[in-house]
Amino acid sequence: MGKRVNMQKDSTITIIGAGMAGTLQAVLLAQRGFRVSLFERNPDPRKGDAPAGRSVNLALGERGRFALDTAGLLEKVDTFSIPMRGRMLHSPEGEQRLQPYGKDDTEVIYSVHRARLNECLLDAADDLEELSIRFNHQLDRIDWDTNQAWFKCSEDSGEIAHGFKVLIGTDGAGSALRRSMQTQADLGVSEELLETGYKELSIPPGENGEPLLDPNALHVWPRGGFMLIGLANMDNSFTMTLFLDNHASDNNRGFDELENWPAQLDFMNEYFADAVPLIPDLEREFKQNPIGLLGTIRCKKWHMDSKALIIGDAAHAIVPFHGQGVNAAFEDCVALMECLQEIEPGGEINWKEVFSELQDRRIANANAIADMALENYEIMRESVRHEGFLLRKELEHELERRHPGHFIARYSLVMFHRIPYAEAYRRGEIQAGILDELLKGASSLDDVDFETAARLINHKLNTV
Ligand SMILES: Cc1cc2nc3c(=O)[nH]c(=O)nc-3n(C[C@H](O)[C@H](O)[C@H](O)COP(=O)(O)OP(=O)(O)OC[C@H]3O[C@@H](n4cnc5c(N)ncnc54)[C@H](O)[C@@H]3O)c2cc1C
């Protein structure tokens, strides 16, 4: 980031939602001297009585890690991050094959326990005297004429009003702030629900505490129309997620066929036979764990004048197949700090201008990662199974080695770099054209004309 500037110390900012983006944004703002009031509907998760959240662990890439580093938290997060060097593909016959993510072992993504990451952020928030967190406060409604936000407090079943100057909504995909803003201004919201849902299952550690799968890989059982994935946790257990259509169709299986135990077990044995013996609580987990919804939310406007801004899932929820939701939300937080520094540094803050700048910088990028995340579902559940895809990956990595800084696989641009998502998308399209041309009639790298490759790359791509 650029040079630090003195922010207006008396500006108080109200943030709704102490999840991933909200807590990091609050920490970054308080570190710069802003007073921040952070409200969260759930109890303090560190006190052990919070409801179970969705998805136990997540993949963090360079964007998320950079944001954590900006807040001085990366070292701590690294103590509970597990590097994953590639996808371990499980065939129907139970064979395992590693597809590396990057061009070499330095390019890895990290499996991180969601609750621990949230707790780490909350601990950092507690250390900042400019920041106050109120748990058990659920935003209910906003009086935009008097600038009062009303919260339901589960502690005493009462309601409180909180006067605000500036509101930031990080209250997730179902954002109450977004809904309230929409009563005042057209945010151009589109919500697109995916036909696929998900259910979490788990593999505990072995009898001696050992991991039952390779912890340094993201395990994938791609089965065409659906898939099972698994990420390691620090205690050597694995969190598994079954992604499957909600309704069966002529060419796909669906959760609605799996309503009773024999049907669930038969399905798992038919497609994931090597995983079944590792999931001892399969029957209970199928019964108890809900089927989660997945979807994409896009907004054409993220702010309402100088009063309110939405970021993270509240502004751009995406499907989880690129492992980028938190990464993108964290990137919003850093981008807001950059806008604050660049616009009228040291002077009276024009929030409308800051919010508008952030929106301009981020919307195209949010849309690009939303599209790439949708595309990646097809890749993960289907394409990875085909030799043609493997050859394409091999060629991408070879071109990266031969043309460093010029040709970088789109997956790598998203996971291991911080170039804007929209730019990664644009370069990815050009690179896809180059790969198509080079792979015409090729069945191995020996068939590829690397002189043509050099010419095309020099002609079509500049440095990253
Ligand atoms: C199955 C699955 C797997 C995923 N895997 C990954 C992954 O591997 N990598 C990745 O980067 N992303 C992943 N994601 C996406 C990621 O979870 C989200 O993008 C991320 O949590 C968004 O952060 P956020 O802070 O915007 O919202 P959230 O994390 O949803 O936080 C919102 C917070 O606001 C609070 N809140 C909500 N309403 C109110 C209210 N009215 N008043 C007060 N508080 C409120 C909530 O309790 C919560 O604490 C995955 C998502 C799913 C569903």
Side-chain angles (χ1 to χ4, degrees):
M1 291 176 80
K3 75 179 172 59
R4 290 189 170 214
V5 295
N6 274 335
M7 302 292 186
Q8 255 211 330
K9 297 277 196 281
D10 60 349
S11 304
T12 299
I13 299 168
T14 303
I15 301 184
I16 315 293
M20 294 293 152
T23 317
L24 181 67
Q25 190 70 79
V27 166
L28 289 170
L29 286 164
Q31 285 175 339
R32 296 296 162 85
F34 287 95
R35 283 207 304 274
V36 182
S37 298
L38 178 57
F39 290 88
E40 167 58 45
R41 70 177 169 193
N42 287 329
D44 187 340
R46 295 164 298 180
K47 296 194 173 145
D49 49 357
R54 67 183 170 193
S55 94
V56 172
N57 49 18
L58 21 99
L60 266 193
E62 180 55 25
R63 294 163 202 270
R65 290 171 57 78
F66 176 80
L68 289 166
D69 201 23
T70 304
L73 296 174
L74 185 58
E75 216 175 298
K76 194 163 172 204
V77 173
D78 268 340
T79 62
F80 55 89
S81 299
I82 303 172
M84 300 183 290
R85 62 195 189 286
R87 295 184 186 116
M88 187 68 83
L89 300 183
H90 293 244
S91 76
E93 294 73 36
E95 285 150 9
Q96 299 186 31
R97 177 174 181 179
L98 184 77
Q99 265 182 21
Y101 279 131
K103 64 179 186 315
D104 56 40
D105 280 353
T106 62
E107 294 189 330
V108 294
I109 57 178
Y110 293 84
S111 173
V112 176
H113 198 269
R114 182 189 285 271
R116 274 187 88 172
L117 178 58
N118 199 203
E119 285 168 21
C120 170
L121 290 165
L122 290 169
D123 287 346
D126 280 349
D127 289 343
L128 291 157
E129 62 183 37
E130 294 86 351
L131 205 170
S132 69
I133 313 181
R134 270 166 272 184
F135 293 100
N136 299 305
H137 279 65
Q138 175 167 3
L139 178 69
D140 185 44
R141 63 187 188 280
I142 291 166
D143 184 335
W144 294 103
D145 294 328
T146 59
N147 287 358
Q148 302 268 323
W150 287 86
F151 294 88
K152 283 187 177 153
C153 311
S154 50
E155 275 163 348
D156 54 11
S157 324
E159 269 199 331
I160 66 142
H162 169 80
F164 65 86
K165 179 167 181 252
V166 174
L167 274 180
I168 299 179
T170 48
D171 48 346
S175 173
L177 180 58
R178 185 183 70 234
R179 282 201 304 275
S180 180
M181 286 162 72
Q182 272 178 275
T183 63
Q184 307 294 304
D186 181 9
L187 303 183
V189 180
S190 76
E191 299 185 29
E192 195 189 318
L193 208 59
L194 203 66
E195 166 55 15
T196 301
Y198 71 94
K199 188 177 280 277
E200 286 203 349
L201 306 168
S202 49
I203 295 181
E207 272 177 19
N208 301 315
E210 76 283 11
L212 296 180
L213 296 169
D214 178 352
N216 296 119
L218 191 152
H219 294 263
V220 189
W221 288 254
R223 296 296 180 260
F226 52 93
M227 66 179 181
L228 178 69
I229 69 166
L231 277 80
N233 297 310
M234 288 300 283
D235 65 355
N236 284 339
S237 66
F238 285 78
T239 302
M240 315 292 286
T241 313
L242 171 63
F243 292 99
L244 180 66
D245 279 359
N246 294 311
H247 304 283
S249 60
D250 287 347
N251 46 19
N252 208 0
R253 305 293 307 264
F255 275 118
D256 60 352
E257 296 174 306
L258 309 180
E259 275 167 6
N260 54 48
W261 171 239
Q264 292 154 359
L265 183 61
D266 288 349
F267 170 82
M268 292 298 289
N269 274 331
E270 185 174 350
Y271 297 103
F272 310 114
D274 61 329
V276 171
L278 310 180
I279 311 176
D281 281 338
L282 188 60
E283 181 174 4
R284 185 186 55 77
E285 289 183 323
F286 245 106
K287 205 172 181 181
Q288 284 180 2
N289 293 354
I291 298 171
L293 299 177
L294 298 170
T296 304
I297 295 175
R298 302 174 204 248
C299 301
K300 292 198 173 110
K301 276 194 77 176
W302 290 11
H303 76 105
M304 226 182 81
D305 302 323
S306 59
K307 282 192 182 177
L309 169 79
I310 43 173
I311 56 171
D313 273 19
H316 53 84
I318 62 177
V319 295
F321 306 113
H322 220 307
Q324 279 292 308
V326 168
N327 289 276
F330 280 179
E331 220 177 35
D332 290 345
C333 301
V334 174
L336 180 64
M337 299 313 295
E338 286 169 352
C339 292
L340 274 165
Q341 277 186 37
E342 288 165 27
I343 296 173
E344 298 167 58
E348 172 86 8
I349 293 165
N350 181 338
W351 287 103
K352 185 175 175 182
E353 206 182 320
V354 170
F355 291 169
S356 163
E357 178 64 24
L358 178 86
Q359 173 186 289
D360 289 351
R361 286 186 193 186
R362 296 295 295 161
I363 284 191
N365 292 315
N367 285 333
I369 189 56
D371 291 337
M372 291 190 280
L374 284 163
E375 285 173 23
N376 229 42
Y377 186 32
E378 168 74 17
I379 293 173
M380 280 181 86
R381 68 175 202 253
E382 170 64 9
S383 313
V384 290
R385 306 196 290 173
H386 302 293
E387 290 304 321
F389 177 84
L390 301 183
L391 178 59
R392 207 175 167 87
K393 279 266 129 216
E394 232 185 297
L395 177 57
E396 279 185 325
H397 291 153
E398 183 58 29
L399 293 176
E400 274 192 65
R401 279 187 285 268
R402 287 176 185 241
H403 304 277
H406 286 265
F407 189 103
I408 300 176
R410 189 178 89 176
Y411 184 85
S412 303
L413 287 172
V414 171
M415 300 307 282
F416 310 128
H417 293 257
R418 292 193 299 111
I419 75 162
Y421 288 121
E423 179 62 7
Y425 192 90
R426 191 189 70 79
R427 290 182 74 93
E429 295 288 284
I430 299 171
Q431 293 178 170
I434 295 176
L435 293 171
D436 288 344
E437 194 161 336
L438 296 173
L439 286 169
K440 261 183 219 150
S443 52
S444 80
L445 283 193
D446 294 339
D447 302 327
V448 172
D449 177 353
F450 284 101
E451 276 179 26
T452 304
R455 191 174 44 74
L456 289 171
I457 288 168
N458 285 335
H459 178 59
K460 297 189 174 185
L461 291 167
N462 50 11
T463 47
V464 171

